[in-house]
Amino acid sequence: MMGFQEGIRRHPVIAAVRNEEELKRLENSSPQICFFLFGDINTLPAMVNQVRGMGKQVYLHLDLTQGFSNDRASLKFIQREIQPDGVVSTRTHLVRNAKEEGLFVIQRLFITDTMSVETGKHLLKQSKADAVEVMPGIAPAWVYEELRRKRALPIVAGGLLRQPEDVIQALQNGANAVSVSGGDLWNLDIQMKSSF
């Protein structure tokens, strides 16, 4: 199975899947990677297997899935029983613990002002995340440059990307990939040069 960077090189649009209807639409779509923004301890094993059967990678958003606590036992269960390609979280302690448990981890940062960029850089240094998702994805180019200043991480832009032009702008501003829900933008044909 390819890694995260190879997946976004092949297709820089990540499918952010919010429900079972979107999961059905994923099968014949272009994204090589999907983020699960729903599911619970009972349904996730079968859904992860379903996505794997499509030849795609799946990353669980720990803050949006149900039935798990915020401790290492849950992370061990996720790694052993659900076996996603990785996880996403806004919580630095979960990101750090997931890394220590051997999971590929994407830290989600909400960038609302200049101070939150500085806070985000500090959180990434603490967590040692493998990649970062910046929300909203319409952040200006300098935000991506600042987040990459000390460490060349893959950066995903997510949130408020509704039109093809929004996706192109996020990639031109420095994101390596975008995560979008709904499926309308999943098959967008984008040829961008990778910066990592």
Side-chain angles (χ1 to χ4, degrees):
M1 190 69 134
M2 70 188 136
F4 182 79
Q5 291 185 1
E6 179 61 24
I8 61 176
R9 276 193 189 105
R10 289 186 185 186
H11 189 71
V13 177
I14 295 169
V17 179
R18 300 173 296 186
N19 54 50
E20 290 188 32
E21 185 59 40
E22 290 179 1
L23 180 57
K24 290 176 190 167
R25 294 175 68 190
L26 184 63
E27 178 139 24
N28 296 311
S29 67
S30 299
Q32 302 294 302
I33 296 174
C34 77
F35 290 171
F36 271 4
L37 308 182
F38 80 114
D40 63 49
I41 195 168
N42 299 303
T43 60
L44 284 168
M47 291 191 304
V48 168
N49 285 336
Q50 183 180 352
V51 172
R52 284 269 175 74
M54 298 175 195
K56 300 179 187 297
Q57 295 179 50
V58 60
Y59 295 77
L60 304 183
H61 195 309
L62 297 176
D63 308 347
L64 301 175
T65 53
Q66 299 176 351
F68 301 104
S69 62
N70 292 326
D71 60 18
R72 284 186 184 266
S74 289
L75 294 169
K76 288 176 192 265
F77 179 86
I78 288 167
Q79 184 180 40
R80 186 182 65 245
E81 301 298 327
I82 300 176
Q83 300 179 353
D85 293 282
V87 295
V88 181
S89 181
T90 59
R91 298 179 179 128
T92 303
H93 76 281
L94 270 182
V95 171
R96 189 173 45 247
N97 290 344
K99 276 286 292 176
E100 290 172 4
E101 293 299 330
L103 289 159
F104 184 96
V105 188
I106 302 165
Q107 180 152 10
R108 186 182 253 195
L109 299 176
F110 291 96
I111 303 296
T112 56
D113 56 21
T114 302
M115 184 176 264
S116 63
V117 174
E118 292 305 313
T119 301
K121 287 166 38 178
H122 178 71
L123 293 174
L124 289 171
K125 185 177 179 181
Q126 281 186 326
S127 71
K128 298 186 176 19
D130 298 297
V132 60
E133 182 178 20
V134 171
M135 301 206 50
I138 57 170
W142 70 266
V143 170
Y144 299 106
E145 291 168 14
E146 280 296 311
L147 292 175
R148 266 199 196 93
R149 188 166 294 236
K150 298 277 185 192
R151 202 166 142 224
L153 290 174
I155 299 178
V156 178
L160 300 181
L161 305 173
R162 297 182 66 184
Q163 305 296 327
E165 299 79 27
D166 300 332
V167 170
I168 300 298
Q169 187 63 57
L171 294 169
Q172 288 176 341
N173 282 352
N176 302 105
V178 298
S179 68
V180 294
S181 57
D184 295 337
L185 299 173
W186 289 355
N187 296 316
L188 205 57
D189 185 21
I190 301 170
Q191 303 299 320
M192 298 290 289
K193 188 175 179 182
S194 178
S195 62
F196 58 85

